[in-house]
Amino acid sequence: MATGLSTYAYFWRASPKVPAPLSLADMLQQTTEMGVSVFQICDYPQIESWSTAELQKLRQQADRLGMQLELGTRGLVNTHLQRYLEIADVLEASVLRSMFNSATSRPTLSEAAAMIEGVLPKFEQQKVSLCLETYEQVRSVDMMSVINRFDSLYLGVCLDPANCVAALELPEQVIANTADRVLNLHIKDFAFSRQDGWVGFTLAGSPMGEGLLNYDLLIDRVRPDSKGINQIVEHWLPWQQDADRTCQLEQQWTQQSVDYLNNRQFQE
């Protein structure tokens, strides 16, 4: 098990809303400076058009930094996932996180199963794990009804308990439903806050260890250490009025998450 950062840990610092957005190379460098050795390039569609030479340059940087790379995208369309397998081959990535739906594809459960069946042998051949993320658009029980049709070490779950709250699934239940097939973890804390005037709530991120994520339960049930499952840090950080304040807080949350996970691993 290792702690990693995702492009989502740099969501604002890499966005066009800031004066000097970070590049992937910048993110890798900052990640290693924090003592972190895994980086997940997640929902970063620009990489799909990169040439082999550009991908090799990124892999060479990762090698110099001692960095393990993972990938992330959305959807199950076979041609799309095959492109990501090509990218994974160059980057030497052994994990690809995806989701049932994308912006252009919303398969039924039967269609999703057929899509997985069509591409899974290629993942197995390349020894890349296809990790489907828990999120509110597909209930965890429904997602598992598809995943459990396949007895494959290279198909499983990217577990993020916070994502399913919007579908009124309790995080503890999502953990229970998926734990046996988890191959990747997205770690972010979250909390509800009252809207102004006490009219409704906002569900957003919180600093790690200060919100509603039951980290002890998650680790006890999934047992990532014994299974070699990486913990990838993400955030749900709302914009903070201006770029400087937002970027500073994003960095603080990232450092707090890394410190929290490292301390917990040391205690265990």
Side-chain angles (χ1 to χ4, degrees):
M1 176 180 67
T3 296
L5 300 186
S6 164
T7 40
Y8 277 104
Y10 295 93
F11 183 82
W12 294 119
R13 286 172 287 171
S15 79
K17 291 197 69 171
V18 302
L22 297 179
S23 67
L24 272 183
D26 296 330
M27 288 184 260
L28 260 65
Q29 182 62 42
Q30 291 193 17
T31 295
T32 199
E33 288 170 359
M34 297 180 70
V36 175
S37 60
V38 180
F39 187 76
Q40 187 175 95
I41 305 166
C42 193
D43 294 344
Y44 193 85
Q46 302 95 304
I47 204 169
E48 296 167 23
S49 62
W50 283 22
S51 67
T52 299
E54 290 171 312
L55 294 171
Q56 288 173 336
K57 183 178 179 180
L58 186 67
R59 179 65 255 175
Q60 289 164 2
Q61 180 192 11
D63 287 341
R64 290 194 301 271
L65 298 174
M67 186 76 62
Q68 175 186 350
L69 297 178
E70 298 181 352
L71 284 170
T73 187
R74 301 184 185 188
L76 295 174
V77 174
N78 283 189
T79 53
H80 180 71
L81 291 182
Q82 287 167 7
R83 171 56 182 152
Y84 268 85
L85 280 174
E86 295 171 357
I87 297 169
D89 184 48
V90 180
L91 296 182
E92 299 175 19
S94 60
V95 168
L96 175 61
R97 166 277 207 182
S98 197
M99 296 177 166
F100 273 42
N101 297 347
S102 69
T104 58
S105 174
R106 298 181 64 87
T108 65
L109 298 182
S110 295
E111 289 169 344
M115 289 174 163
I116 293 170
E117 185 176 22
V119 79
L120 185 56
K122 296 181 174 63
F123 279 84
E124 294 172 333
Q125 181 179 12
Q126 196 169 316
K127 293 183 169 55
V128 173
S129 297
L130 176 58
C131 306
L132 301 178
E133 186 163 1
T134 55
Y135 68 127
E136 76 285 351
Q137 294 183 32
V138 181
R139 295 185 65 82
S140 61
V141 171
D142 293 334
M143 187 178 80
M144 295 313 300
S145 74
V146 174
I147 290 175
N148 286 334
R149 298 185 194 185
F150 302 91
D151 183 17
S152 174
L153 296 176
Y154 293 96
L155 175 66
V157 175
C158 174
L159 175 56
D160 188 334
N163 288 350
C164 297
V165 174
L168 300 183
E169 286 196 86
L170 292 176
E172 290 79 3
Q173 188 59 55
V174 174
I175 293 170
N177 289 344
T178 63
D180 293 340
R181 294 295 298 267
V182 171
L183 296 175
N184 198 237
L185 286 170
H186 280 182
I187 303 295
K188 63 170 175 275
D189 215 338
F190 57 98
F192 289 91
S193 60
R194 279 285 189 178
Q195 290 276 26
D196 292 342
W198 283 57
V199 180
F201 293 88
T202 295
L203 173 62
S206 71
M208 188 64 197
E210 299 179 21
L212 295 173
L213 177 65
N214 190 337
Y215 182 76
D216 289 340
L217 174 67
L218 176 66
I219 297 306
D220 181 65
R221 189 65 182 82
V222 174
R223 295 176 287 116
D225 194 25
S226 64
K227 297 179 180 179
I229 295 170
N230 292 334
Q231 303 183 88
I232 307 300
V233 170
E234 296 188 331
H235 303 308
W236 270 347
L237 173 65
W239 180 258
Q240 303 291 308
Q241 287 85 49
D242 62 71
D244 287 345
R245 184 177 177 184
T246 302
C247 291
Q248 182 180 21
L249 192 58
E250 188 173 67
Q251 170 59 27
Q252 290 174 1
W253 279 26
T254 302
Q255 187 66 62
Q256 181 164 331
S257 295
V258 170
D259 291 345
Y260 183 94
L261 296 182
N262 287 342
N263 289 338
R264 297 305 294 270
Q265 291 179 42
F266 178 77
Q267 291 171 7
E268 294 172 2

